[in-house]
Amino acid sequence: MLQAIRSKATSFVVKILFGLLIVTFGIWGIGDIFRSAGPDTTVAKVGGRAITAEQLSRQVQSQLERMRGLFGGSIDAQQAKQLGVVDQALQGLIDGDLVELEIDRLGLAVGDEAVRDSIMANPAFHNQAGAFDRRVYAQVLLANQMSEPQFEALQRGALLKAQLQGALAAGITPPGALVDALYRARAERRIADMVTLPASAAGAIPAPTESQIDEFYRAHQDRFQAPERRSFKVAMLRLDDVAAGIELSDDQLKEEFQKRQGEFHTPEQRQVLQMLLPDEATAKVAAEQLAAGSDFDVVAKTVAKMDDPAALDLGWVKHDDLPEDLANAVFDLKEGTNSAPVNSTFGWHILHVSGIRPGEDKTFDQVKDSLKKEVARDRAADHMADMANSLDDAIAGGAGFDDVAKKFALKTATAADVDAEGKTAAGTAIDLPEGRDAILKTAFGTDRGQTSALSEMGDDGYYMVQVEAVTPAAAKPLAEVHDEAAQAWLADARQQALQKVADTIAQEVNGGRSLKDAAASRKLAVTTTPPLQRTGGDDKVPPSLVAKLFDAKPGAAVTEEAGDSVIVAQLGGVEPADPAQDQSAVKQLSQELGTVMQSDVLSEYGQALRQTFPVKVDQTNVDRLL
């Protein structure tokens, strides 16, 4: 067909035909073919500004890295959503854009002098004497692969935001009366005498009768519940299983080896010391002293004024780790030698190579086994999405669980009569594949006789569950829990008896008798608490008892359960707090309240900005992101 068209392409008729086609496309348009930019990935629009999925993804990853550093372990995308990390990251980007739009609307600006002063005041750029050091500044920027104009632009933006927020929050301070009242409530202390009634204070508790056990069991069946149990099957489409079925010849692996040569090449590394000097003349002086035999660190200290040895050491670096001019100088040196002065945008450098690690190229035979696993997993990953779609279609089409598992060669596992924690009636945990918690959650969220939808198993595959049997939660028969019910009856009866004794003591105290006398008549010991604050409490003085003491009047008695015992406490002294006697604490409290009030104002201002600059979130694109 194409050959026929070519053979006639020069004829007058064909030229007319092509002309008509061109006109047709001109009328109806083919611009969309060329202008198409792919799907819109905007997750939010703020007053005309677009926040892209890429921006949000970077912000989320940044927050996740901070969380992993704080708490350890790994946090996946689903957990990030559940923890609200995605929403917080998006709101942070929205708030940032709102402030920047308001700054532009107000025409706020920061001069070069203010930017310079803020940089010079930054402790990160100070030397050991505590003063701004341009060489330290250049080193920090170099280490972070950032130029001076880039950093200064970031600093200018930060100053503008601080300027706006400072103007809004300036002068917002809490009233003195509020601070004093809160201080008095917080700092007031109370002291009490206290008696702890042991279990023996309840006296002898007779064994319950069968009718009492039966009555107790019926009234407290929730204490003797057997949890819901389920039996189910799980089928798994796992990456490693798919990869194990992929055959790769040596020729295919060698071809892949050639494509991925860079992965098997370890570049040469060099351990580098760097001296940063302010000008060429000083650099020449340093070079002359080094040539005369002086030690590098001595010259750095005396000529370059670099007193911190850590500031000299760039560590082990590859060629690509350094700017081109410095990299060329470093990798032209022999071990133990110094470079001539090198000029860069950060100043003048003299470099010393103290160690060399040669590069290495691994052979095919060395990497064959690991390469085979990687390639198989890569190809399996490429097939997984298609296989998952086919699985979904099969399930949606009514195919049975066993038929689907057999057709797609899925690995299966079974669980018989387990609770939501994956434990048998005997209390032993069953063995489930990776993703145990998710599988159990799916199993207990799927109806009996139904097959669940295909769900992700972390990054390693998919699973589906078929629930075969459900045993609803129900009270265990009395015969099965008879002894347990009898012990529970005794414990409750003992606690009630203790409470009666405690109430009697409290009534005597509230009637005018001292706690010490009431305790002595019963051969009980009295202890005095240390001064207690409103938010105090520990294992000896429960917080719930402290709360009752702060609601009581001096001399009054209160009771509170504490595990298997009951406490009777009589409020003694009250130590009022005087704000005038603790001005530093009052000042700190005022600052805390002021910070909260300022935060509230800024939050309200942020909400008001949404009226000026409308915010629209595309939740579909947000959900699609992770």
Side-chain angles (χ1 to χ4, degrees):
M1 177 65 74
L2 290 175
Q3 186 61 39
I5 291 175
R6 292 190 190 99
S7 66
K8 303 296 184 181
T10 55
S11 73
F12 183 71
V13 173
V14 171
K15 288 180 180 179
I16 293 176
L17 175 60
F18 278 121
L20 290 172
L21 288 172
I22 292 169
V23 171
T24 301
F25 281 123
I27 294 172
W28 292 104
I30 59 171
D32 288 344
I33 296 173
F34 301 102
R35 289 194 297 267
S36 176
D40 182 17
T41 61
T42 301
V43 294
K45 288 187 177 180
V46 183
R49 284 190 177 191
I51 297 175
T52 65
E54 182 181 0
Q55 290 174 281
L56 178 57
S57 179
R58 286 199 302 267
Q59 189 77 353
V60 168
Q61 291 304 320
S62 177
Q63 291 195 24
L64 289 180
E65 287 302 319
R66 285 195 292 270
M67 292 176 69
R68 288 167 185 146
L70 288 172
F71 306 114
S74 60
I75 301 175
D76 59 28
Q78 192 59 38
Q79 290 172 321
K81 283 186 176 181
Q82 293 172 349
L83 292 170
V85 174
V86 178
D87 292 337
Q88 291 173 9
L90 179 57
Q91 289 307 312
L93 291 171
I94 290 172
D95 290 343
D97 277 359
L98 286 169
V99 172
E100 289 178 5
L101 288 167
E102 180 69 353
I103 287 171
D104 291 343
R105 186 183 73 83
L106 295 174
L108 300 181
V110 171
D112 293 341
E113 185 176 352
V115 175
R116 184 195 66 212
D117 290 345
S118 70
I119 292 174
M120 295 183 69
N122 191 329
F125 307 136
H126 291 180
N127 56 26
Q128 290 182 327
F132 175 79
D133 191 323
R134 183 167 185 80
R135 284 168 294 187
V136 176
Y137 177 52
Q139 286 173 341
V140 172
L141 295 189
L142 178 62
N144 288 277
Q145 298 182 349
M146 186 178 294
S147 68
E148 290 188 26
Q150 287 175 323
F151 180 75
E152 289 167 7
L154 290 174
Q155 191 69 10
R156 191 182 303 276
L159 288 174
L160 283 168
K161 290 180 180 179
Q163 185 183 82
L164 177 60
Q165 293 174 346
L168 291 167
I172 298 177
T173 56
L178 173 62
V179 177
D180 288 350
L182 182 57
Y183 174 81
R184 288 191 182 95
R186 279 190 180 184
E188 178 185 310
R189 295 172 183 266
R190 298 195 168 198
I191 302 172
D193 288 334
M194 189 173 77
V195 171
T196 301
L197 303 180
S200 59
I205 306 295
T209 64
E210 289 301 320
S211 62
Q212 287 175 318
I213 295 174
D214 182 70
E215 182 181 354
F216 182 84
Y217 167 78
R218 293 178 185 279
H220 302 90
Q221 288 196 9
D222 56 311
R223 296 193 187 186
F224 310 105
Q225 287 280 318
E228 177 183 318
R229 297 188 174 279
R230 296 191 170 208
S231 297
F232 59 88
K233 294 188 292 188
V234 56
M236 297 153 285
L237 174 64
R238 296 188 296 197
L239 184 64
D240 286 338
D241 294 335
V242 176
I246 295 177
E247 296 293 334
L248 294 165
S249 67
D250 280 0
D251 289 341
Q252 289 174 311
L253 290 175
K254 287 178 180 178
E255 182 181 351
E256 194 68 26
F257 176 77
Q258 294 300 324
K259 291 179 182 177
R260 298 163 61 171
Q261 278 286 341
E263 296 180 25
F264 310 116
H265 169 70
T266 302
E268 179 182 324
Q269 290 182 298
R270 298 196 167 203
Q271 191 173 27
V272 180
L273 300 178
Q274 172 192 244
M275 196 185 306
L276 188 61
L277 303 118
D279 51 54
E280 185 177 9
T282 308
K284 287 182 177 179
V285 171
E288 290 170 358
Q289 292 190 16
L290 290 171
S294 297
D295 290 338
F296 193 89
D297 56 345
V298 173
V299 176
K301 187 173 184 179
T302 57
V303 180
K305 308 301 181 186
M306 297 176 68
D307 297 326
D308 184 6
L312 295 174
D313 190 4
L314 292 183
W316 289 93
V317 298
K318 302 186 292 291
H319 192 285
D320 292 344
D321 293 336
L322 298 172
E324 187 67 22
D325 45 4
L326 298 182
N328 291 336
V330 165
F331 282 82
D332 283 342
L333 293 175
K334 295 181 179 179
E335 185 173 348
T337 62
N338 306 309
S339 72
V342 180
N343 189 22
S344 78
T345 56
F346 298 98
W348 286 85
H349 310 254
I350 294 180
L351 304 145
H352 174 83
V353 173
S354 55
I356 296 177
R357 290 176 180 166
E360 179 188 6
D361 289 299
K362 292 183 178 179
T363 65
F364 173 74
D365 289 335
Q366 287 176 311
V367 301
K368 177 181 175 180
D369 291 340
S370 60
L371 180 62
K372 184 175 182 178
K373 291 180 181 178
E374 289 180 19
V375 174
R377 282 178 62 88
D378 288 345
R379 297 193 180 184
D382 292 340
H383 295 317
M384 288 285 279
D386 291 338
M387 293 180 70
N389 288 334
S390 299
L391 269 168
D392 268 333
D393 292 342
I395 295 169
F401 179 92
D402 293 331
D403 293 336
V404 171
K406 183 177 181 181
K407 178 180 179 181
F408 292 93
L410 304 181
K411 293 291 180 67
T412 59
T414 60
D417 201 32
V418 298
D419 62 19
E421 295 181 353
K423 294 181 179 179
T424 65
T428 57
I430 61 165
D431 185 24
L432 281 175
E434 185 179 354
R436 170 192 179 89
D437 291 344
I439 291 172
L440 286 168
K441 185 176 180 180
T442 301
F444 278 78
T446 303
D447 292 336
R448 180 180 178 277
Q450 299 298 310
T451 299
S452 72
L454 199 65
S455 301
E456 289 187 11
M457 186 186 289
D459 296 328
D460 292 326
Y462 302 85
Y463 72 90
M464 62 180 186
V465 171
Q466 184 182 55
V467 178
E468 298 181 313
V470 176
T471 304
K476 298 176 183 177
L478 177 58
E480 185 179 331
V481 295
H482 180 276
D483 292 345
E484 184 182 344
Q487 290 300 317
W489 184 94
L490 281 170
D492 274 21
R494 186 178 297 109
Q495 198 70 14
Q496 290 173 18
L498 273 180
Q499 188 63 55
K500 285 181 180 180
V501 175
D503 290 342
T504 300
I505 295 174
Q507 288 171 6
E508 292 176 7
V509 173
N510 289 330
R513 191 179 187 187
S514 72
L515 179 62
K516 291 182 180 179
D517 288 344
S521 66
R522 294 171 173 85
K523 298 181 180 181
L524 297 172
V526 176
T527 59
T528 301
T529 69
L532 302 168
Q533 286 187 289
R534 191 178 296 271
T535 56
D538 53 29
D539 56 341
K540 294 182 179 179
V541 188
S544 54
L545 177 60
V546 175
K548 287 185 176 181
L549 288 171
F550 271 85
D551 286 336
K553 294 180 179 180
V558 295
T559 68
E560 183 64 21
E561 290 188 9
D564 295 334
S565 60
V566 179
I567 297 174
V568 183
Q570 182 182 22
L571 179 60
V574 175
E575 298 179 356
D578 183 2
Q581 300 301 315
D582 195 356
Q583 287 298 308
S584 62
V586 171
K587 182 179 180 181
Q588 182 178 352
L589 180 58
S590 179
Q591 290 173 343
E592 291 175 5
L593 285 174
T595 300
V596 172
M597 293 170 66
Q598 291 169 6
S599 178
D600 288 344
V601 168
L602 292 175
S603 178
E604 290 298 322
Y605 184 70
Q607 293 301 318
L609 287 179
R610 283 165 165 76
Q611 305 302 316
T612 306
F613 308 106
V615 175
K616 184 178 180 181
V617 175
D618 188 330
Q619 193 60 46
T620 300
N621 278 352
V622 174
D623 293 338
R624 187 181 294 123
L625 172 66
L626 297 175

